[in-house]
């Protein structure tokens, strides 16, 4: 990268993207730019938040490719036969993996998920399934910061018989040379 462009990029990051911890640009197999921000270094640990949704989606794709999941049009509840659908609930039965992956599943809360109840629940997948459905329309985008990825994580565990971390390590992280510590 040109020095002037680098300076502009770094100023833009400082001005508008204060949560950026690092950028690495690889061109033709070689690192052409590497810079860390906010006191971070190459091996700093940071919370990735929404990146988790992308990783879970990749893992669903790998599970699909390996035959653990038949197709993304499968119903979510096929993976949770033990789940008791709440009386009067009619939407959850039709929600598919594709709806979960594209965030087009309805939820039973208006604006923000009940985070305190969610984080204190003993079973995040069941808690998330309890919020799935309701009066919203299937196929309409509805951002789901936690609930969708937790249901997809539950599906991965059911489909593969492994923890999400074990499946990810074996099929994604190790092949890419990514070291993940479990703590």
């Amino acid at each position: 990268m040109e020095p002037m462009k680098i300076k502009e990029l770094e100023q833009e990051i400082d001005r508008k993207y204060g949560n950026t911890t690092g950028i690495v640009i690889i061109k033709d197999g070689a690192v052409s730019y590497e810079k860390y921000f906010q006191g971070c270094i190459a091996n700093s640990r940071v919370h990735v938040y929404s990146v988790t949704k992308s990783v879970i989606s990749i893992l669903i794709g790998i599970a699909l490719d390996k035959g653990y999941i038949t197709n993304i049009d499968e119903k979510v509840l096929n993976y949770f036969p033990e789940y008791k659908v709440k009386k009067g609930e009619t939407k959850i039965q039709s929600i598919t993996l594709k709806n979960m992956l594209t965030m087009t599943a309805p939820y039973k809360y208006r604006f923000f998920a009940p985070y305190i109840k969610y984080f204190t629940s003993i079973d995040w997948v069941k808690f998330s399934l309890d919020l799935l459905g309701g009066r919203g329309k299937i196929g309409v985008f509805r951002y789901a910061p936690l609930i969708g990825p937790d249901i997809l994580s539950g599906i991965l565990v059911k489909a593969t018989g492994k923890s999400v971390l074990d499946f990810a390590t074996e099929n994604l992280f190790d092949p890419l040379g990514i070291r993940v510590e479990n703590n």
Side-chain angles (χ1 to χ4, degrees):
M1 281 180 77
E2 300 171 30
M4 190 59 164
K5 296 283 184 189
I6 291 172
K7 186 176 181 177
E8 289 175 28
L9 171 69
E10 291 172 359
Q11 287 173 343
E12 187 77 1
I13 289 167
D14 287 339
R15 251 191 332 274
K16 294 184 180 176
Y17 304 100
N19 64 346
T20 301
T21 57
I23 297 176
V24 178
I25 299 173
I26 299 175
K27 183 177 180 183
D28 299 324
V31 175
S32 62
Y33 175 78
E34 184 170 1
K35 171 84 178 197
Y36 297 93
F37 306 89
Q38 315 306 326
C40 291
I41 58 174
N43 61 354
S44 291
R45 293 181 181 191
V46 295
H47 288 282
V48 292
Y49 297 108
S50 289
V51 173
T52 304
K53 288 186 225 24
S54 297
V55 172
I56 293 295
S57 295
I58 291 166
L59 294 174
I60 292 286
I62 291 169
L64 186 65
D65 185 58
K66 292 186 172 283
Y68 291 109
I69 293 173
T70 308
N71 68 67
I72 60 171
D73 292 318
E74 285 183 88
K75 306 289 189 235
V76 166
L77 290 185
N78 289 355
Y79 289 90
F80 304 101
E82 74 286 355
Y83 179 74
K84 302 273 188 255
V85 176
K86 303 280 186 213
K87 186 176 179 181
E89 174 57 58
T90 59
K91 295 264 171 76
I92 192 173
Q93 298 88 335
S94 300
I95 297 171
T96 65
L97 274 71
K98 183 176 182 179
N99 296 128
M100 302 305 297
L101 289 164
T102 59
M103 290 192 213
T104 57
Y107 296 99
K108 297 174 188 163
Y109 58 88
R110 286 184 167 224
F111 302 107
F112 299 104
Y115 291 113
I116 293 172
K117 288 181 182 178
Y118 168 85
F119 284 116
T120 57
S121 169
I122 17 177
D123 186 341
W124 289 355
V125 175
K126 183 188 177 305
F127 185 88
S128 298
L129 285 167
D130 286 345
L131 289 178
L132 189 61
R135 295 186 181 145
K137 186 176 177 187
I138 296 173
V140 174
F141 181 79
R142 177 83 192 269
Y143 181 71
L146 300 169
I147 292 164
D150 275 345
I151 293 170
L152 290 170
S153 293
I155 289 169
L156 277 170
V157 169
K158 296 271 191 161
T160 66
K162 300 177 181 183
S163 74
V164 175
L165 180 59
D166 287 347
F167 185 75
T169 299
E170 178 183 318
N171 295 284
L172 182 63
F173 300 144
D174 280 353
L176 292 175
I178 298 170
R179 188 169 151 259
V180 178
E181 292 179 19
N182 185 10
N183 57 352

